[in-house]
Amino acid sequence: MSENPQVKDILEHIETHERELADQAGELRARIEELTRQLGELDAESENLRITRKTLLTLPLPSPAAEPEAPDIPDHPAYQQILTALADAGRSMRARDLCQALDLPILPKNTEGIRSKLKRLVSRGILIEPEPGLFARPDA
């Protein structure tokens, strides 16, 4: 270093200013690193949203709700005969009334067989039982 006091003061001033500039540069570099990290997070989130939008646009539209299927009527012809007799009568009927409508003898085995079939039709939602032992079509 120079022995000249004026040059010495100027050099010290320059060193002080260099340190200040280095500190400011360090602070700016730290801010740049933080902003770069935040920018990376925002870019990643934006990309996720873009992918989500693209995926949603490629999904097929849901099909409209289908009409509920009619309940399955058991295959035995007696069930169809019971339903026909109820439709023809147009009113609620008891097992005994159905035996008469179907020209079956009024015997316990016949009325219990018809009652059993009526209960099965109720359990499948084909008939309703508005009161115990009385059976009807839901649309009647």
Side-chain angles (χ1 to χ4, degrees), residues 85-136:
L86 278 168
D88 290 346
R91 61 180 176 83
S92 301
M93 298 179 80
R94 299 190 178 281
R96 179 181 176 92
D97 301 332
L98 278 162
C99 284
Q100 287 176 336
L102 297 172
D103 294 327
L104 293 173
I106 308 297
L107 297 173
K109 69 176 188 170
N110 291 339
T111 55
E112 288 306 313
I114 293 293
R115 184 174 292 108
S116 171
K117 288 174 178 54
L118 289 166
K119 292 283 189 179
R120 183 169 292 124
L121 291 171
V122 168
S123 71
R124 292 187 178 197
I126 299 168
L127 294 179
I128 59 171
E129 190 174 8
E131 63 181 62
L134 190 63
F135 300 91

Side-chain angles (χ1 to χ4, degrees), residues 8-117:
K8 195 175 183 182
D9 289 342
I10 293 172
L11 289 175
E12 285 178 10
H13 179 71
I14 290 173
E15 285 179 26
T16 303
H17 194 59
E18 281 179 333
R19 278 193 300 272
E20 290 172 356
L21 291 175
D23 290 345
Q24 288 177 358
E27 290 173 10
L28 288 175
R29 282 188 189 90
R31 285 181 51 198
I32 289 171
E33 287 176 13
E34 176 61 21
L35 291 172
T36 302
R37 183 191 64 74
Q38 289 177 359
L39 181 60
E41 289 174 0
L42 291 174
D43 285 342
E45 188 173 342
S46 179
E47 179 65 12
N48 288 340
L49 291 172
R50 188 189 66 73
I51 292 169
T52 301
R53 178 187 297 112
K54 184 177 178 182
T55 302
L56 287 174
L57 291 173
T58 60
L59 291 176
L61 292 175
S63 59
E67 294 281 329
E69 292 185 23
D72 292 334
I73 299 172
D75 290 337
H76 196 277
Y79 291 97
Q80 191 58 51
Q81 291 170 346
I82 290 169
L83 293 173
T84 302
L86 278 168
D88 290 346
R91 61 180 176 83
S92 301
M93 298 179 80
R94 299 190 178 281
R96 179 181 176 92
D97 301 332
L98 278 162
C99 284
Q100 287 176 336
L102 297 172
D103 294 327
L104 293 173
I106 308 297
L107 297 173
K109 69 176 188 170
N110 291 339
T111 55
E112 288 306 313
I114 293 293
R115 184 174 292 108
S116 171
K117 288 174 178 54

